[in-house]
Amino acid sequence: MGGRTGRDASGEEWIEAAADDRWLRPSAGDSRREPRWGHPDGMQLGLHPLSGPRGLLRIYTPYLDQPRERLLNFIAVEPIPAGTIERGYSELERSRLDDVPGLRMWSVDDPDDERPRTPDAPARGVVSVDADGVERLTVHIGVERFANGAHVRVTAVFRADRPHEVSVAASVRSDSAPLGACVLSATMGNWARLRRLELADGAVTAAELWPEYRDVHFADHASFPVDRLARDAGSVSVSAVTDEMEPVAATYAPGTKEHWHYVGRRGVQTWIADDPDSALVVQVNGRHTYWMSDHPIPGGIAFENFELVEPFRDGRAFTFRVEPMDAR
């Protein structure tokens, strides 16, 4: 199957992922192909060398009226070995496979296949129908071994009846250090300028959490226990939203790079956990300036990382959902 010709982040030509029946998937064949999966008009997931740092999953939401190349958020993989508190960082570590920044990620259809691959020869993903009659697209994402001994893969699953969400689950490889947790962190809340964390007992804002913070680094994490999250039929959920009516109309500080300028409609970003552990928490941190710059964020401090943290369960899935804010 062929597709349109496009270019990766370095400008090299490849075949764009294309709709195949119900799903958007990498084209078949031996040519360089775009690593991108999901719903043709709904949520999509991509890997490097799509635009952005290596070592991160890309989340696309074209239904928010964003251009095809514009991603809404990243998901980072951050394992914590048992008995420690220090995370590995998939984006920030230097690869031991090819000595460049960011751990290498690649896709496979066989979850037991641990061989590193190049990202421009992606797996197509496996389409299946479960006992509930819902069609699913499953993609297994290999992640090279972390410096702290963690070695994991991430499995992403799209459901045909839920076009605005994806579930992501971390599983350990046989040679991995035992894990205390593996955080899958939505790590670019500053682009959408998320400032309101919607808990069951009311909203908490970034300005309330860090009223005096003006540094160029990350404000400390704020954590909230599972009993403060909304519950529904055995699951918990928590959402983060902007406090701006028209984020596209923001005035940016001189010199702010164009890629930080928000485009499209507002979205509600939500994490969902079925059967939550009693120790589960939601965590956010904040930034006053955009990442790797001293340019202040319009409107003040906003959340950057937005995540659920729970004692490790192999293959445990969390769902990331983004709905148009005006659909509420």
Side-chain angles (χ1 to χ4, degrees):
M1 182 186 71
R4 294 190 311 173
T5 298
R7 296 187 182 276
D8 67 15
S10 66
E12 293 192 44
E13 190 173 275
W14 60 10
I15 303 298
E16 290 185 350
D20 175 13
D21 297 325
R22 187 189 298 274
W23 301 106
L24 181 81
R25 300 199 282 167
S27 299
D30 297 327
S31 58
R32 297 185 71 250
R33 291 167 287 134
E34 181 186 29
R36 187 169 179 143
W37 304 262
H39 297 270
D41 299 312
M43 184 176 285
Q44 300 163 11
L45 179 147
L47 297 177
H48 180 85
L50 285 162
S51 182
R54 210 168 77 160
L56 298 169
L57 310 180
R58 287 104 164 97
I59 299 294
Y60 298 89
T61 51
Y63 51 94
L64 295 182
D65 296 340
Q66 291 154 353
R68 188 181 190 279
E69 68 278 5
R70 177 65 248 182
L71 59 90
L72 178 78
N73 213 328
F74 295 106
I75 294 180
V77 183
E78 301 181 353
I80 306 171
T84 72
I85 59 172
E86 295 298 325
R87 302 186 186 196
Y89 293 96
S90 58
E91 174 194 359
L92 301 180
E93 290 192 23
R94 195 169 190 89
S95 171
R96 284 161 294 282
L97 294 176
D98 50 20
D99 196 34
V100 298
L103 296 186
R104 190 191 295 179
M105 293 180 172
W106 59 92
S107 58
V108 293
D109 288 335
D110 178 0
D112 296 323
D113 185 350
E114 300 186 17
R115 295 171 297 166
R117 298 172 180 240
T118 60
D120 54 7
R124 301 204 64 218
V126 176
V127 176
S128 62
V129 178
D130 284 358
D132 57 8
V134 175
E135 189 171 284
R136 288 166 165 81
L137 173 64
T138 299
V139 184
H140 302 288
I141 299 161
V143 184
E144 74 170 278
R145 187 180 178 89
F146 287 77
N148 63 14
H151 194 188
V152 303
R153 73 167 186 271
V154 176
T155 298
V157 180
F158 294 92
R159 290 176 54 116
D161 60 342
R162 298 179 184 175
H164 296 166
E165 69 179 44
V166 63
S167 76
V168 285
S171 302
V172 291
R173 300 294 194 182
S174 59
D175 63 347
S176 177
L179 298 186
C182 187
V183 184
L184 301 173
S185 181
T187 188
M188 196 180 66
N190 280 179
W191 186 64
R193 299 194 293 280
L194 305 178
R195 291 196 178 92
R196 287 173 54 87
L197 189 68
E198 298 186 334
L199 303 170
D201 53 1
V204 177
T205 70
E208 291 168 343
L209 293 172
W210 307 288
E212 306 299 329
Y213 191 83
R214 298 293 185 273
D215 207 338
V216 296
H217 304 294
F218 289 98
D220 289 341
H221 276 106
S223 298
F224 303 91
V226 67
D227 61 7
R228 295 192 65 182
L229 307 190
R231 285 188 176 266
D232 180 33
S235 69
V236 294
S237 64
V238 58
S239 298
V241 299
T242 183
D243 61 352
E244 299 174 42
M245 293 299 295
E246 294 186 76
V248 295
T251 300
Y252 295 84
T256 302
K257 291 185 177 180
E258 186 68 26
H259 64 249
W260 287 117
H261 292 214
Y262 190 78
V263 295
R265 293 187 292 154
R266 299 179 299 167
V268 181
Q269 301 188 35
T270 301
W271 279 113
I272 303 163
D274 295 332
D275 185 27
D277 190 283
S278 61
L280 180 145
V281 298
V282 58
Q283 289 192 158
V284 287
N285 61 16
R287 288 188 64 87
H288 173 68
T289 62
Y290 285 115
W291 169 248
M292 295 187 69
S293 84
D294 58 2
H295 297 107
I297 297 164
I301 193 167
F303 303 135
E304 182 73 310
N305 289 75
F306 170 42
E307 61 201 26
L308 298 178
V309 184
E310 185 184 63
F312 185 70
R313 283 187 263 174
D314 194 50
R316 194 274 197 275
F318 297 103
T319 296
F320 188 65
R321 175 184 296 162
V322 181
E323 294 287 0
M325 196 168 175
D326 55 15
R328 285 185 162 189

